Amino acid sequence: MPEMTFDVRWPDGHLQRCYSPSLVVYDYLTVGAHYTVADFVDRSGTALDEASARVRAKFGFACTSAAATTEQIVSAAAAFPDSATVRVVAMDPVAP
């Protein structure tokens, strides 16, 4: 199963690298796009839940790293108003 990372810049300028065990994040986020904090938390959470479900379907257990990434995103987001913006600055590997 191909894994990926995606980098986001929070409203305070902090750059966070996030991990996904699946490329499904490409279905929910776009490099260069700006999302409100609330929308980003929702989109990334949905993507990471789906990625974890793919791991479960293939290997019989959920991906704890996807859950940890979701927790890190939610924790970082708590410092900002829901209407502030987050920018997706990179995804690796680059989309085909």
Side-chain angles (χ1 to χ4, degrees):
M1 179 167 292
E3 58 187 14
M4 67 175 297
T5 58
F6 55 104
D7 298 336
V8 297
R9 187 162 313 279
W10 290 98
D12 65 356
H14 174 77
L15 187 66
Q16 179 179 3
R17 173 153 289 172
C18 304
Y19 169 82
S20 171
S22 167
L23 301 179
V24 71
V25 173
Y26 283 108
D27 295 341
Y28 294 90
L29 300 173
T30 303
V31 173
H34 292 83
Y35 302 95
T36 65
V37 169
D39 189 30
F40 175 72
V41 168
D42 183 54
R43 287 171 176 266
S44 61
T46 300
L48 291 165
D49 285 347
E50 188 173 325
S52 185
R54 289 181 180 192
V55 171
R56 183 185 309 278
K58 185 169 184 173
F59 299 107
F61 53 86
C63 179
T64 57
S65 294
T69 298
T70 299
E71 289 178 20
Q72 293 164 0
I73 289 170
V74 169
S75 177
F80 307 104
D82 285 348
S83 60
T85 52
V86 177
R87 181 171 178 258
V88 178
V89 296
M91 291 185 178
D92 185 41
V94 174

